[in-house]
Amino acid sequence: MDNQLQDFNLGFLIAREISERQDHGRLIEVLERWDSVNDLLRPIFIDLIESFGFYPYLNDEKISNLNLSAKYRNEFHKSNISIGRDEKIRFHSEQKRIEEIISKKQNIILSAPTSFGKSLLIEEFISRKIYKNIIIIQPTLALIDETRKKLRKYTAYNIVVNTKQELSDNNIFILTSERVLELFPKIYEINIDFFVIDEFYKISNSKSDERVSQLNIAFYKIMQINSPQLLLLTPNVDDINSDFLDKYNIKFISTEYSLVNQNITHIECSGKDSDKKEKLFELLKSIPEQTIVYVRSPKRAEELSLEYITRITKTGMELPIIQWIDENISEEWNLKTILNYGIGMHNGQFPRHIVNSQLDYFNQGKLNVIFATTSLIEGVNTAAKNIVIFDMKKSNKPLSYFDFNNIKGRAGRMMQHYSGNIFYFDAPPLKTLEKVDIPLIEQKDNLQSEVLINLESTDVKDNLKERYNAIKSSVSEELWTIFRENYYDVESQKQLYNYLIQNPNLLTDLSWNSHSPPYETLLQTMKAISHGLDNVSNNSYKHVTLKVNKISKGNIKDVIDSEVHYQLDKADNEDLHKVYNKAIFDIFKFVRTEAKFKIPKKMSVLQSIVNYILEDKKADYSSFIAKLENEGVGGSKSILLDYGVPSTAIKKIRTNLDSTEIIDYIKNNLDSLNFTNYEREIVEKL
């Protein structure tokens, strides 16, 4: 195309065809080759760029070639978001259309590609300062921190990302659905004006997200307060439950509009895995730009990373994270070896600062390839010029068309890449109609009990009224309230209640209040959770207790070493290096899913039922739960974990300032805090 664009006649034909066919993709190709465009043709193509609504791509040189009416239209598409002293971001035509709908106070669900620029719509309405209190629900802590960084410049608002923070007159809550429910008593007291849910498709049961109940309940409860304006964002959705749209007066908008082309290439190879690997490694070496390789599991990511580094040379670049890994994780960890070759390995179970640092290194060009699972696709708004889909599976299940679309949507990003390249090896899933079911509205017979009992009786459908009333009549009014506010499966809570009634001797041991209970007390607590709440009758709780106790004390290296000894005792003649890497993976997974999420929730449920039975409030596990969730970090400093700061760095900060002052304190005392180079490079970005 370069030669054609240089030739006036051939270039003019291209412009005419683009205009006649309204060929967005071909116009983006021209933009990508702008240096090759004949000078005499540039005004023609600039008119096309403007008429197609590609306003973000109109720089000063192009704007100067527009006629007066086109310049007015360009001004009309400017947002309220500053990118410089006197410069504003410009919306593309479809963003502007959506912005106008939101400006009219219309509730909307927007389904649009990753490259659409949905997050700009959130920022636009925050920048206007027309709302006092805004809630943004994000599915992951990584997305919460990414959103916080984008919005921290809006100092008129108090940004709340942690349940321990104080509220002010104007607040932006950036929270997971679980944290919304934890903070709900405070949220209930204020007026919520604007309610945003990112990755809204996760409200659907069909997505099998373990936190679907919490998102349904959080949405329902927020909408009960005062019906705030809604902006619900999702990729790749074709249809939404009509009753849901009607109930909340929502307009569903689905668009494929994008300013990024996607070039899709099928890599031919035999069915043998060894052949696939060879083709993959050849492909990676031939691609000049950075690449994300999607694989089905963390184990697969590690396997391919270790094989690939045998084909390439070390970068010679010393990343500060390497020394930190040696001192705080293990010298045996494969990740540090992989990083030395300019390769990243993304695993959602890793500590968040390790995940964030790899993405930063990738964005800085220090890592050339990242082997990633869906944790990268779902976890952060990242993009690369190239996406390789090596496995057409998610764990052991075939990728859905929705997931396939979501993964390839990460190739290219508006204002970074004009085009993205997708390479795939296996046959992609067949296209299917993607409809989002809304459990709290559809109320099928298998509706989660924790969602059901949080509905007002007048909102319960006829098919579930008998079940709803049966649950309510089977417990006292006080226990009903406790069950509701625990946001946990009702049968499991009943089971725990009956277990404690049948084992009253346990209640004394469970009536503790300490940030560091005796080991035997913690053992009995984990036993009650395992036998009573989880209905698991074996002794697995003993090993869980050992890990929980050590994690709450905050030395992850000690926890890993202990796990290594435990695994070595279970098996003879194991390779120590392999045991270390398995232990590291197992502990990180346990910390992420159990210590930071499941066990604190279960302990809170246990505490509430113990106190109900004893008719007092002697049991209070909150200070221990805080230490467990926060890797041994206590007090207001725990908010730094949400900002992606390693706990090793936080423990070097000898002050208990509140969350609003802690960052200023760190920046003013940076040289005296004895941070490692790695820790320092993280806190300097706060």
Side-chain angles (χ1 to χ4, degrees), residues 467-505:
R467 181 180 164 206
Y468 180 91
N469 291 330
I471 296 171
K472 191 167 186 178
S473 62
S474 69
V475 296
S476 69
E477 188 173 334
E478 187 180 352
L479 198 56
W480 165 262
T481 301
I482 289 169
F483 282 2
R484 289 183 89 184
E485 293 178 355
N486 280 337
Y487 311 117
Y488 201 85
D489 176 68
V490 174
E491 285 307 310
S492 297
Q493 292 191 76
K494 278 187 177 181
Q495 196 173 267
L496 175 60
Y497 172 75
N498 292 329
Y499 174 81
L500 294 175
I501 292 296
Q502 293 161 15
N503 296 275
N505 57 308

mmCIF file of all heavy atoms in Angstrom, residues 467-505:
data_model
loop_
_atom_site.group_PDB
_atom_site.id
_atom_site.type_symbol
_atom_site.label_atom_id
_atom_site.label_comp_id
_atom_site.label_asym_id
_atom_site.label_seq_id
_atom_site.Cartn_x
_atom_site.Cartn_y
_atom_site.Cartn_z
ATOM 1 N N ARG A 467 -39.575 -21.198 48.854
ATOM 2 C CA ARG A 467 -38.199 -21.396 49.356
ATOM 3 C C ARG A 467 -37.775 -20.228 50.251
ATOM 4 O O ARG A 467 -37.183 -20.430 51.311
ATOM 5 C CB ARG A 467 -37.250 -21.528 48.156
ATOM 6 C CG ARG A 467 -35.793 -21.768 48.512
ATOM 7 C CD ARG A 467 -34.955 -21.887 47.241
ATOM 8 N NE ARG A 467 -33.533 -21.738 47.502
ATOM 9 C CZ ARG A 467 -32.644 -21.309 46.626
ATOM 10 N NH1 ARG A 467 -33.037 -20.978 45.402
ATOM 11 N NH2 ARG A 467 -31.372 -21.200 46.955
ATOM 12 N N TYR A 468 -38.080 -19.021 49.833
ATOM 13 C CA TYR A 468 -37.749 -17.818 50.605
ATOM 14 C C TYR A 468 -38.421 -17.869 51.976
ATOM 15 O O TYR A 468 -37.773 -17.673 53.017
ATOM 16 C CB TYR A 468 -38.218 -16.599 49.817
ATOM 17 C CG TYR A 468 -37.967 -15.247 50.466
ATOM 18 C CD1 TYR A 468 -36.795 -14.549 50.211
ATOM 19 C CD2 TYR A 468 -38.915 -14.658 51.293
ATOM 20 C CE1 TYR A 468 -36.562 -13.291 50.769
ATOM 21 C CE2 TYR A 468 -38.706 -13.408 51.867
ATOM 22 C CZ TYR A 468 -37.526 -12.726 51.599
ATOM 23 O OH TYR A 468 -37.309 -11.485 52.161
ATOM 24 N N ASN A 469 -39.708 -18.156 51.988
ATOM 25 C CA ASN A 469 -40.452 -18.189 53.248
ATOM 26 C C ASN A 469 -39.996 -19.334 54.141
ATOM 27 O O ASN A 469 -39.982 -19.208 55.377
ATOM 28 C CB ASN A 469 -41.953 -18.301 52.972
ATOM 29 C CG ASN A 469 -42.505 -17.030 52.347
ATOM 30 O OD1 ASN A 469 -41.999 -15.935 52.596
ATOM 31 N ND2 ASN A 469 -43.539 -17.165 51.517
ATOM 32 N N ALA A 470 -39.618 -20.466 53.527
ATOM 33 C CA ALA A 470 -39.140 -21.614 54.310
ATOM 34 C C ALA A 470 -37.851 -21.271 55.046
ATOM 35 O O ALA A 470 -37.663 -21.642 56.212
ATOM 36 C CB ALA A 470 -38.938 -22.815 53.393
ATOM 37 N N ILE A 471 -36.937 -20.575 54.361
ATOM 38 C CA ILE A 471 -35.689 -20.164 55.017
ATOM 39 C C ILE A 471 -35.999 -19.200 56.155
ATOM 40 O O ILE A 471 -35.491 -19.356 57.279
ATOM 41 C CB ILE A 471 -34.724 -19.496 54.010
ATOM 42 C CG1 ILE A 471 -34.280 -20.482 52.937
ATOM 43 C CG2 ILE A 471 -33.497 -18.944 54.744
ATOM 44 C CD1 ILE A 471 -33.492 -19.834 51.799
ATOM 45 N N LYS A 472 -36.863 -18.247 55.893
ATOM 46 C CA LYS A 472 -37.161 -17.219 56.894
ATOM 47 C C LYS A 472 -37.845 -17.798 58.120
ATOM 48 O O LYS A 472 -37.543 -17.419 59.270
ATOM 49 C CB LYS A 472 -38.027 -16.117 56.271
ATOM 50 C CG LYS A 472 -38.158 -14.883 57.160
ATOM 51 C CD LYS A 472 -38.746 -13.706 56.416
ATOM 52 C CE LYS A 472 -38.707 -12.467 57.312
ATOM 53 N NZ LYS A 472 -39.222 -11.272 56.607
ATOM 54 N N SER A 473 -38.763 -18.741 57.909
ATOM 55 C CA SER A 473 -39.505 -19.318 59.038
ATOM 56 C C SER A 473 -38.687 -20.329 59.832
ATOM 57 O O SER A 473 -39.051 -20.689 60.950
ATOM 58 C CB SER A 473 -40.791 -19.986 58.527
ATOM 59 O OG SER A 473 -40.471 -21.055 57.643
ATOM 60 N N SER A 474 -37.560 -20.777 59.268
ATOM 61 C CA SER A 474 -36.754 -21.802 59.944
ATOM 62 C C SER A 474 -35.760 -21.229 60.945
ATOM 63 O O SER A 474 -35.105 -21.985 61.667
ATOM 64 C CB SER A 474 -36.005 -22.641 58.903
ATOM 65 O OG SER A 474 -34.997 -21.861 58.263
ATOM 66 N N VAL A 475 -35.621 -19.908 60.987
ATOM 67 C CA VAL A 475 -34.657 -19.278 61.901
ATOM 68 C C VAL A 475 -35.314 -18.098 62.604
ATOM 69 O O VAL A 475 -36.348 -17.578 62.162
ATOM 70 C CB VAL A 475 -33.392 -18.798 61.145
ATOM 71 C CG1 VAL A 475 -32.632 -19.961 60.551
ATOM 72 C CG2 VAL A 475 -33.762 -17.786 60.052
ATOM 73 N N SER A 476 -34.691 -17.671 63.695
ATOM 74 C CA SER A 476 -35.201 -16.496 64.403
ATOM 75 C C SER A 476 -34.983 -15.245 63.561
ATOM 76 O O SER A 476 -34.181 -15.242 62.622
ATOM 77 C CB SER A 476 -34.485 -16.335 65.737
ATOM 78 O OG SER A 476 -33.126 -15.971 65.517
ATOM 79 N N GLU A 477 -35.681 -14.183 63.927
ATOM 80 C CA GLU A 477 -35.552 -12.931 63.173
ATOM 81 C C GLU A 477 -34.121 -12.402 63.234
ATOM 82 O O GLU A 477 -33.586 -11.902 62.241
ATOM 83 C CB GLU A 477 -36.529 -11.887 63.733
ATOM 84 C CG GLU A 477 -36.587 -10.627 62.890
ATOM 85 C CD GLU A 477 -37.672 -9.660 63.335
ATOM 86 O OE1 GLU A 477 -38.671 -10.120 63.925
ATOM 87 O OE2 GLU A 477 -37.504 -8.452 63.090
ATOM 88 N N GLU A 478 -33.482 -12.536 64.412
ATOM 89 C CA GLU A 478 -32.112 -12.043 64.562
ATOM 90 C C GLU A 478 -31.140 -12.865 63.719
ATOM 91 O O GLU A 478 -30.244 -12.321 63.064
ATOM 92 C CB GLU A 478 -31.688 -12.070 66.030
ATOM 93 C CG GLU A 478 -30.335 -11.422 66.268
ATOM 94 C CD GLU A 478 -29.909 -11.452 67.735
ATOM 95 O OE1 GLU A 478 -30.715 -11.841 68.589
ATOM 96 O OE2 GLU A 478 -28.731 -11.096 68.001
ATOM 97 N N LEU A 479 -31.336 -14.199 63.708
ATOM 98 C CA LEU A 479 -30.448 -15.068 62.925
ATOM 99 C C LEU A 479 -30.677 -14.844 61.427
ATOM 100 O O LEU A 479 -29.728 -14.883 60.638
ATOM 101 C CB LEU A 479 -30.681 -16.531 63.291
ATOM 102 C CG LEU A 479 -29.566 -17.519 62.902
ATOM 103 C CD1 LEU A 479 -28.230 -17.098 63.484
ATOM 104 C CD2 LEU A 479 -29.911 -18.935 63.342
ATOM 105 N N TRP A 480 -31.912 -14.578 61.039
ATOM 106 C CA TRP A 480 -32.225 -14.231 59.641
ATOM 107 C C TRP A 480 -31.430 -13.003 59.200
ATOM 108 O O TRP A 480 -30.830 -12.986 58.122
ATOM 109 C CB TRP A 480 -33.728 -13.994 59.516
ATOM 110 C CG TRP A 480 -34.194 -13.297 58.276
ATOM 111 C CD1 TRP A 480 -34.484 -11.980 58.139
ATOM 112 C CD2 TRP A 480 -34.441 -13.882 56.995
ATOM 113 N NE1 TRP A 480 -34.901 -11.693 56.860
ATOM 114 C CE2 TRP A 480 -34.886 -12.841 56.125
ATOM 115 C CE3 TRP A 480 -34.330 -15.172 56.479
ATOM 116 C CZ2 TRP A 480 -35.220 -13.058 54.796
ATOM 117 C CZ3 TRP A 480 -34.664 -15.380 55.142
ATOM 118 C CH2 TRP A 480 -35.100 -14.349 54.319
ATOM 119 N N THR A 481 -31.395 -11.991 60.067
ATOM 120 C CA THR A 481 -30.644 -10.768 59.756
ATOM 121 C C THR A 481 -29.157 -11.066 59.649
ATOM 122 O O THR A 481 -28.471 -10.558 58.741
ATOM 123 C CB THR A 481 -30.895 -9.702 60.842
ATOM 124 O OG1 THR A 481 -32.293 -9.423 60.895
ATOM 125 C CG2 THR A 481 -30.125 -8.422 60.537
ATOM 126 N N ILE A 482 -28.649 -11.881 60.567
ATOM 127 C CA ILE A 482 -27.228 -12.259 60.532
ATOM 128 C C ILE A 482 -26.911 -12.998 59.233
ATOM 129 O O ILE A 482 -25.922 -12.711 58.548
ATOM 130 C CB ILE A 482 -26.859 -13.122 61.759
ATOM 131 C CG1 ILE A 482 -26.867 -12.262 63.026
ATOM 132 C CG2 ILE A 482 -25.490 -13.784 61.576
ATOM 133 C CD1 ILE A 482 -26.772 -13.058 64.310
ATOM 134 N N PHE A 483 -27.756 -13.967 58.882
ATOM 135 C CA PHE A 483 -27.537 -14.734 57.651
ATOM 136 C C PHE A 483 -27.527 -13.818 56.430
ATOM 137 O O PHE A 483 -26.712 -13.986 55.520
ATOM 138 C CB PHE A 483 -28.626 -15.795 57.485
ATOM 139 C CG PHE A 483 -28.436 -17.024 58.342
ATOM 140 C CD1 PHE A 483 -27.374 -17.128 59.226
ATOM 141 C CD2 PHE A 483 -29.332 -18.088 58.267
ATOM 142 C CE1 PHE A 483 -27.188 -18.258 60.008
ATOM 143 C CE2 PHE A 483 -29.162 -19.229 59.041
ATOM 144 C CZ PHE A 483 -28.089 -19.311 59.912
ATOM 145 N N ARG A 484 -28.440 -12.864 56.400
ATOM 146 C CA ARG A 484 -28.511 -11.943 55.260
ATOM 147 C C ARG A 484 -27.226 -11.129 55.141
ATOM 148 O O ARG A 484 -26.656 -10.987 54.065
ATOM 149 C CB ARG A 484 -29.691 -10.978 55.419
ATOM 150 C CG ARG A 484 -31.050 -11.570 55.243
ATOM 151 C CD ARG A 484 -32.123 -10.493 55.361
ATOM 152 N NE ARG A 484 -32.403 -9.874 54.073
ATOM 153 C CZ ARG A 484 -33.225 -8.862 53.918
ATOM 154 N NH1 ARG A 484 -33.834 -8.318 54.951
ATOM 155 N NH2 ARG A 484 -33.441 -8.353 52.718
ATOM 156 N N GLU A 485 -26.786 -10.577 56.273
ATOM 157 C CA GLU A 485 -25.655 -9.645 56.248
ATOM 158 C C GLU A 485 -24.309 -10.341 56.135
ATOM 159 O O GLU A 485 -23.295 -9.683 55.934
ATOM 160 C CB GLU A 485 -25.709 -8.750 57.489
ATOM 161 C CG GLU A 485 -26.920 -7.823 57.467
ATOM 162 C CD GLU A 485 -27.036 -6.960 58.701
ATOM 163 O OE1 GLU A 485 -26.224 -7.134 59.643
ATOM 164 O OE2 GLU A 485 -27.949 -6.103 58.730
ATOM 165 N N ASN A 486 -24.320 -11.665 56.255
ATOM 166 C CA ASN A 486 -23.074 -12.413 56.034
ATOM 167 C C ASN A 486 -22.811 -12.644 54.546
ATOM 168 O O ASN A 486 -21.685 -12.979 54.161
ATOM 169 C CB ASN A 486 -23.122 -13.762 56.757
ATOM 170 C CG ASN A 486 -22.821 -13.638 58.232
ATOM 171 O OD1 ASN A 486 -22.179 -12.682 58.676
ATOM 172 N ND2 ASN A 486 -23.277 -14.600 59.019
ATOM 173 N N TYR A 487 -23.839 -12.525 53.710
ATOM 174 C CA TYR A 487 -23.696 -12.701 52.248
ATOM 175 C C TYR A 487 -22.994 -14.022 51.929
ATOM 176 O O TYR A 487 -22.040 -14.082 51.152
ATOM 177 C CB TYR A 487 -22.928 -11.527 51.628
ATOM 178 C CG TYR A 487 -23.439 -10.175 52.056
ATOM 179 C CD1 TYR A 487 -22.633 -9.299 52.783
ATOM 180 C CD2 TYR A 487 -24.731 -9.759 51.754
ATOM 181 C CE1 TYR A 487 -23.104 -8.062 53.193
ATOM 182 C CE2 TYR A 487 -25.212 -8.520 52.159
ATOM 183 C CZ TYR A 487 -24.391 -7.684 52.876
ATOM 184 O OH TYR A 487 -24.852 -6.450 53.283
ATOM 185 N N TYR A 488 -23.505 -15.074 52.554
ATOM 186 C CA TYR A 488 -22.874 -16.391 52.425
ATOM 187 C C TYR A 488 -23.983 -17.437 52.292
ATOM 188 O O TYR A 488 -25.095 -17.251 52.788
ATOM 189 C CB TYR A 488 -22.013 -16.683 53.659
ATOM 190 C CG TYR A 488 -20.947 -17.728 53.464
ATOM 191 C CD1 TYR A 488 -19.703 -17.389 52.936
ATOM 192 C CD2 TYR A 488 -21.176 -19.066 53.786
ATOM 193 C CE1 TYR A 488 -18.721 -18.337 52.745
ATOM 194 C CE2 TYR A 488 -20.198 -20.023 53.598
ATOM 195 C CZ TYR A 488 -18.976 -19.660 53.075
ATOM 196 O OH TYR A 488 -17.993 -20.608 52.884
ATOM 197 N N ASP A 489 -23.663 -18.546 51.633
ATOM 198 C CA ASP A 489 -24.636 -19.614 51.416
ATOM 199 C C ASP A 489 -25.390 -19.956 52.706
ATOM 200 O O ASP A 489 -24.787 -20.249 53.748
ATOM 201 C CB ASP A 489 -23.914 -20.860 50.900
ATOM 202 C CG ASP A 489 -24.845 -22.037 50.749
ATOM 203 O OD1 ASP A 489 -25.719 -21.987 49.868
ATOM 204 O OD2 ASP A 489 -24.718 -22.999 51.540
ATOM 205 N N VAL A 490 -26.720 -19.944 52.642
ATOM 206 C CA VAL A 490 -27.549 -20.097 53.840
ATOM 207 C C VAL A 490 -27.425 -21.494 54.437
ATOM 208 O O VAL A 490 -27.311 -21.653 55.660
ATOM 209 C CB VAL A 490 -29.029 -19.781 53.519
ATOM 210 C CG1 VAL A 490 -29.920 -20.088 54.718
ATOM 211 C CG2 VAL A 490 -29.172 -18.326 53.114
ATOM 212 N N GLU A 491 -27.455 -22.535 53.606
ATOM 213 C CA GLU A 491 -27.371 -23.901 54.132
ATOM 214 C C GLU A 491 -26.058 -24.122 54.876
ATOM 215 O O GLU A 491 -26.023 -24.802 55.897
ATOM 216 C CB GLU A 491 -27.530 -24.921 52.999
ATOM 217 C CG GLU A 491 -28.954 -25.063 52.494
ATOM 218 C CD GLU A 491 -29.951 -25.343 53.621
ATOM 219 O OE1 GLU A 491 -29.694 -26.255 54.434
ATOM 220 O OE2 GLU A 491 -30.975 -24.641 53.692
ATOM 221 N N SER A 492 -24.984 -23.553 54.362
ATOM 222 C CA SER A 492 -23.691 -23.683 55.048
ATOM 223 C C SER A 492 -23.723 -22.975 56.398
ATOM 224 O O SER A 492 -23.173 -23.479 57.390
ATOM 225 C CB SER A 492 -22.571 -23.100 54.182
ATOM 226 O OG SER A 492 -22.448 -23.808 52.974
ATOM 227 N N GLN A 493 -24.363 -21.815 56.448
ATOM 228 C CA GLN A 493 -24.474 -21.091 57.718
ATOM 229 C C GLN A 493 -25.338 -21.873 58.716
ATOM 230 O O GLN A 493 -25.002 -21.951 59.908
ATOM 231 C CB GLN A 493 -25.077 -19.700 57.494
ATOM 232 C CG GLN A 493 -24.173 -18.757 56.709
ATOM 233 C CD GLN A 493 -24.682 -17.335 56.740
ATOM 234 O OE1 GLN A 493 -24.542 -16.646 57.751
ATOM 235 N NE2 GLN A 493 -25.266 -16.890 55.640
ATOM 236 N N LYS A 494 -26.414 -22.463 58.255
ATOM 237 C CA LYS A 494 -27.257 -23.290 59.126
ATOM 238 C C LYS A 494 -26.471 -24.484 59.663
ATOM 239 O O LYS A 494 -26.577 -24.866 60.830
ATOM 240 C CB LYS A 494 -28.477 -23.797 58.340
ATOM 241 C CG LYS A 494 -29.622 -22.824 58.229
ATOM 242 C CD LYS A 494 -30.787 -23.579 57.578
ATOM 243 C CE LYS A 494 -32.015 -22.720 57.479
ATOM 244 N NZ LYS A 494 -33.141 -23.466 56.874
ATOM 245 N N GLN A 495 -25.715 -25.059 58.752
ATOM 246 C CA GLN A 495 -24.888 -26.215 59.102
ATOM 247 C C GLN A 495 -23.905 -25.853 60.213
ATOM 248 O O GLN A 495 -23.723 -26.605 61.176
ATOM 249 C CB GLN A 495 -24.126 -26.610 57.828
ATOM 250 C CG GLN A 495 -23.486 -27.957 57.797
ATOM 251 C CD GLN A 495 -22.940 -28.189 56.394
ATOM 252 O OE1 GLN A 495 -23.629 -28.759 55.561
ATOM 253 N NE2 GLN A 495 -21.733 -27.736 56.133
ATOM 254 N N LEU A 496 -23.281 -24.685 60.095
ATOM 255 C CA LEU A 496 -22.348 -24.218 61.110
ATOM 256 C C LEU A 496 -23.071 -23.970 62.429
ATOM 257 O O LEU A 496 -22.584 -24.348 63.505
ATOM 258 C CB LEU A 496 -21.648 -22.939 60.639
ATOM 259 C CG LEU A 496 -20.716 -22.260 61.647
ATOM 260 C CD1 LEU A 496 -19.578 -23.195 62.061
ATOM 261 C CD2 LEU A 496 -20.152 -20.960 61.067
ATOM 262 N N TYR A 497 -24.223 -23.349 62.364
ATOM 263 C CA TYR A 497 -25.014 -23.083 63.567
ATOM 264 C C TYR A 497 -25.326 -24.396 64.302
ATOM 265 O O TYR A 497 -25.134 -24.517 65.520
ATOM 266 C CB TYR A 497 -26.302 -22.357 63.186
ATOM 267 C CG TYR A 497 -27.285 -22.200 64.318
ATOM 268 C CD1 TYR A 497 -27.075 -21.262 65.327
ATOM 269 C CD2 TYR A 497 -28.430 -23.001 64.379
ATOM 270 C CE1 TYR A 497 -27.974 -21.121 66.375
ATOM 271 C CE2 TYR A 497 -29.336 -22.870 65.415
ATOM 272 C CZ TYR A 497 -29.104 -21.929 66.413
ATOM 273 O OH TYR A 497 -29.992 -21.798 67.453
ATOM 274 N N ASN A 498 -25.807 -25.396 63.568
ATOM 275 C CA ASN A 498 -26.141 -26.690 64.176
ATOM 276 C C ASN A 498 -24.906 -27.378 64.742
ATOM 277 O O ASN A 498 -24.967 -28.010 65.805
ATOM 278 C CB ASN A 498 -26.829 -27.593 63.149
ATOM 279 C CG ASN A 498 -28.204 -27.078 62.770
ATOM 280 O OD1 ASN A 498 -28.881 -26.459 63.591
ATOM 281 N ND2 ASN A 498 -28.626 -27.329 61.528
ATOM 282 N N TYR A 499 -23.795 -27.250 64.038
ATOM 283 C CA TYR A 499 -22.533 -27.858 64.517
ATOM 284 C C TYR A 499 -22.127 -27.256 65.859
ATOM 285 O O TYR A 499 -21.718 -27.977 66.779
ATOM 286 C CB TYR A 499 -21.448 -27.635 63.470
ATOM 287 C CG TYR A 499 -20.062 -28.086 63.886
ATOM 288 C CD1 TYR A 499 -19.688 -29.429 63.798
ATOM 289 C CD2 TYR A 499 -19.120 -27.171 64.358
ATOM 290 C CE1 TYR A 499 -18.410 -29.844 64.176
ATOM 291 C CE2 TYR A 499 -17.850 -27.573 64.734
ATOM 292 C CZ TYR A 499 -17.495 -28.904 64.637
ATOM 293 O OH TYR A 499 -16.232 -29.305 65.014
ATOM 294 N N LEU A 500 -22.241 -25.957 65.997
ATOM 295 C CA LEU A 500 -21.855 -25.288 67.245
ATOM 296 C C LEU A 500 -22.824 -25.623 68.378
ATOM 297 O O LEU A 500 -22.403 -25.774 69.536
ATOM 298 C CB LEU A 500 -21.794 -23.773 67.027
ATOM 299 C CG LEU A 500 -20.710 -23.277 66.063
ATOM 300 C CD1 LEU A 500 -20.834 -21.781 65.833
ATOM 301 C CD2 LEU A 500 -19.314 -23.618 66.567
ATOM 302 N N ILE A 501 -24.102 -25.759 68.053
ATOM 303 C CA ILE A 501 -25.091 -26.140 69.069
ATOM 304 C C ILE A 501 -24.801 -27.552 69.579
ATOM 305 O O ILE A 501 -24.931 -27.849 70.778
ATOM 306 C CB ILE A 501 -26.524 -26.056 68.486
ATOM 307 C CG1 ILE A 501 -26.903 -24.597 68.197
ATOM 308 C CG2 ILE A 501 -27.540 -26.704 69.415
ATOM 309 C CD1 ILE A 501 -26.991 -23.705 69.414
ATOM 310 N N GLN A 502 -24.387 -28.417 68.651
ATOM 311 C CA GLN A 502 -24.097 -29.809 69.017
ATOM 312 C C GLN A 502 -22.736 -29.977 69.686
ATOM 313 O O GLN A 502 -22.450 -31.018 70.295
ATOM 314 C CB GLN A 502 -24.161 -30.689 67.764
ATOM 315 C CG GLN A 502 -25.562 -30.818 67.174
ATOM 316 C CD GLN A 502 -25.548 -31.287 65.729
ATOM 317 O OE1 GLN A 502 -24.519 -31.778 65.228
ATOM 318 N NE2 GLN A 502 -26.681 -31.141 65.042
ATOM 319 N N ASN A 503 -21.874 -28.970 69.582
ATOM 320 C CA ASN A 503 -20.539 -29.019 70.192
ATOM 321 C C ASN A 503 -20.315 -27.770 71.050
ATOM 322 O O ASN A 503 -19.426 -26.954 70.767
ATOM 323 C CB ASN A 503 -19.461 -29.119 69.118
ATOM 324 C CG ASN A 503 -19.535 -30.396 68.311
ATOM 325 O OD1 ASN A 503 -19.004 -31.430 68.710
ATOM 326 N ND2 ASN A 503 -20.206 -30.330 67.168
ATOM 327 N N PRO A 504 -21.118 -27.594 72.099
ATOM 328 C CA PRO A 504 -21.057 -26.355 72.893
ATOM 329 C C PRO A 504 -19.717 -26.145 73.584
ATOM 330 O O PRO A 504 -19.361 -25.012 73.909
ATOM 331 C CB PRO A 504 -22.189 -26.540 73.916
ATOM 332 C CG PRO A 504 -22.397 -28.027 73.986
ATOM 333 C CD PRO A 504 -22.123 -28.547 72.626
ATOM 334 N N ASN A 505 -18.978 -27.240 73.785
ATOM 335 C CA ASN A 505 -17.667 -27.108 74.433
ATOM 336 C C ASN A 505 -16.687 -26.277 73.612
ATOM 337 O O ASN A 505 -15.707 -25.730 74.136
ATOM 338 C CB ASN A 505 -17.065 -28.499 74.690
ATOM 339 C CG ASN A 505 -16.942 -29.316 73.400
ATOM 340 O OD1 ASN A 505 -17.910 -29.456 72.656
ATOM 341 N ND2 ASN A 505 -15.763 -29.858 73.152
#
